[in-house]
Structures are given as C-alpha cells and as structure tokens.
Amino acid sequence: MRLPLFLALLFTALLPVGTPLAAQTAHNSNAPIDFGADNIELQDKANRAVLSGSVSVKQAEMTLNAARMTVSYTGQVVGGNPQVSRLDASGGVTVRRPDQTAKSQFAIYDLNRRVITMLGAVTLTQGGNTVNGGRLTINLDTGRAVIDGSSVRGSSGATGGATTAAPGGRVTGTFSVPKRD
C-alpha cells in the first residue's frame, strides 16, 4: 500500500474525468465525491479501493448507500487527485437525488459516461409514483431514468436465493393521480 495515494484517496476529492460544463443541468459530475465506510482496503496494484460496511458516497445533491463498494481508478493522478472512473456497489443499494429515490441490489456508476445502472429488484420512487423492474439506467446529464423488466439471476452466496424483476420480467408500478373537484 502506498500511503500517499491512500491519503489522496481518503482526504482529497475524487473527481470524474472531463465533464462538459454545458451538460451539468441535472447533476454536477465535477463535484467532489465524499465517502464514508467502516473499512477501506486499498488494492493499489489493481487501481482500486474496496469500501465495506455502511458505505455512503455523496456527490453534489446525490447520495449512494450500499453494504460494499469498489472504487476503480485509472492509476493517473492529476492535480494530486486520483482519476476515479467507476463505482461498483452491492448490497442494499440506495441512490437518492432531490426528486427521486432508487433502490436495488447492485449499481454501477460510470463516472466517465455519467450514467448509473442499477440491477436486481429495482424500485424507483418519485413523489407518489413508484415503478418496479429489473434494471434502471439514470443519465446524470439529462436526468432521464429508464427502467425495464430485465432481471439479474444468480446465487447470492449465503442466502442462495435468486434475484428477479417483477413477474414475467415486466415493469410494474403505481402512478398517483391528483385530486379532482
């Protein structure tokens, strides 16, 4: 473990690479990423850090919580900051933005593309509306969220259970209706 890189990861802002200023209407992808976790393991030769135990990541007005997260970086240090390229989260993943909350079993935040993909028993809530499916893709530049019935199937280790979307791989949900006079 190289201590200077570890300290840079721990105490400086984790910045995504090159976000066009004009594309920051929905989310500030240039904002520093602050994180907290019970444990951190730096795997410097693999250009990643593994955070575990009540992981919380905050960037601008968005928070991501999970049981475990792998932070992948390019190995390049620009301006004293490691260039983080991807966050992989698992275990009770929740992404909160000012107007919506999404929950799933897994999530991938591609900082270069500014896209979050959530997989496995996805629920997206906005106001009184709820949509359920197997996969959710959030474009942080446009704020567009697309959910489909694709599902993740596989063993979850100790529990041995399968993860699926709504029955039949369909998207389901409830939309609120305003009261009418």
Side-chain angles (χ1 to χ4, degrees), residues 36 110 124 137:
D110 183 331
L124 175 63
T137 303

Side-chain angles (χ1 to χ4, degrees), residues 25-36:
T25 56
H27 176 73
N28 181 1
S29 297
N30 278 332
I33 296 175
D34 298 315
F35 67 91

Side-chain angles (χ1 to χ4, degrees), residues 106-119:
F106 308 98
I108 300 163
Y109 179 7
D110 183 331
L111 281 85
N112 296 325
R113 291 180 47 226
R114 293 167 302 283
V115 171
I116 296 175
T117 304
M118 301 181 74
L119 303 163

